[in-house]
Amino acid sequence: MASDHTRSAILAAAERLYADRGFGDVTLRDIVAEANVNLAAVNYHFGSKDELIAELFVTRSIATNRERLRELKAAEEGGGGRAPIEVILRALVGPTLRGCLGPENQRSTAARFMIRASIESVPPIRRIKNREIDHLRKFAGAMRRSLPDRSDVDIYWGLNFALAMAHHTIRESERLTKLSEGKCDLDDVEDVVQRVVSVATMALTAGRTETKAAARIAAR
């Protein structure tokens, strides 16, 4: 039990420090001082700073991905196995945006940690993102069922653009607020979700305006 308490204390301390200061500025000694444990405890439970970061990111990501898949399953069951593309995209980006935006979430340690993870590209998080893609394949399958006339390439690009819009909105929320002089309300999270979903839907459902040949000519 004491060992579990020590492990939890290390994780909580690390998440707070990373959320406040970023990954590069926090050392293992900072973490052990914050957690009131010794360095050997960190090495025993996690092995390295990278493994500690990976553990935190996986824990938070699992919760987000479970919520995504829960919403996707409900959408497809409600549609008899085929959900509208807007609902699928909402399930894809909604949990991430709701988890990181809004006055309450922006103050939470978990949300600030995930924002840091989105902003700062560190090796352990990159490796996890590149490896853990099974849940995204399920979304691609649902999108394919929703839009059978679209090619696999269109589906994958559409999924990628939807995720990119969500993550960019999270990373650049402060800049957007300043740029728009507060007109773009990042605290209205459901409005943000709807805007991302609307643009992603338009990109996937709009007709092609150029053939590949025309595009190549234009590129010259």
Side-chain angles (χ1 to χ4, degrees):
M1 188 65 69
S3 180
D4 289 343
H5 176 76
T6 298
R7 192 174 191 279
S8 296
I10 294 168
L11 286 169
E15 189 171 49
R16 285 194 300 272
L17 290 173
Y18 290 139
D20 289 340
R21 292 163 47 186
F23 298 107
D25 290 341
V26 176
T27 66
L28 286 180
R29 293 192 180 278
D30 294 329
I31 294 169
V32 300
E34 179 78 5
N36 194 28
V37 299
N38 57 49
L39 190 59
V42 177
N43 292 329
Y44 172 78
H45 285 287
F46 302 101
S48 68
K49 179 179 176 179
D50 278 3
E51 290 300 317
L52 176 54
I53 292 172
E55 174 87 7
L56 284 166
F57 183 73
V58 166
T59 299
R60 296 303 179 193
S61 295
I62 285 174
T64 299
N65 292 340
R66 281 178 177 166
E67 179 61 18
R68 280 173 167 169
L69 292 173
R70 186 193 67 76
E71 291 187 19
L72 177 64
K73 181 180 178 181
E76 291 212 292
E77 286 179 349
R82 179 176 169 182
I85 189 64
E86 296 91 340
V87 182
I88 296 169
L89 292 171
R90 181 177 292 275
L92 177 68
V93 303
T96 299
L97 290 166
R98 293 188 196 101
C100 291
L101 297 180
E104 293 184 4
N105 284 333
Q106 285 175 339
R107 288 194 293 268
S108 78
T109 300
R112 291 185 294 109
F113 172 81
M114 290 305 285
I115 291 169
R116 285 285 188 186
S118 181
I119 294 172
E120 299 183 29
S121 181
V122 293
I125 291 177
R126 281 201 306 273
R127 286 194 291 269
I128 293 166
K129 285 183 175 180
N130 290 336
R131 184 180 70 234
E132 302 297 331
I133 59 173
D134 285 348
H135 69 291
L136 296 180
R137 293 192 190 281
K138 292 178 181 178
F139 274 93
M143 292 167 69
R144 199 175 292 114
R145 288 187 289 276
S146 181
L147 300 173
D149 60 322
R150 288 300 184 191
S151 70
D152 283 354
V153 171
D154 287 339
I155 293 296
Y156 290 128
W157 275 116
L159 188 153
N160 182 70
F161 289 148
L163 290 173
M165 279 190 287
H167 287 294
H168 184 78
T169 300
I170 291 167
R171 287 194 300 268
E172 303 297 341
S173 59
E174 184 177 354
R175 183 169 69 166
L176 177 57
T177 300
K178 290 180 179 178
L179 176 65
S180 68
E181 297 179 337
K183 295 182 179 69
C184 295
D185 184 5
L186 276 298
D187 287 342
D188 188 349
V189 183
E190 290 309 315
D191 180 66
V192 176
V193 173
Q194 183 55 44
R195 289 178 182 278
V196 172
V197 168
S198 294
V199 174
T201 299
M202 284 191 290
L204 277 163
T205 58
R208 293 179 181 274
T209 57
E210 290 183 319
T211 64
K212 290 183 179 180
R216 283 196 296 268
I217 293 171
R220 297 195 190 107

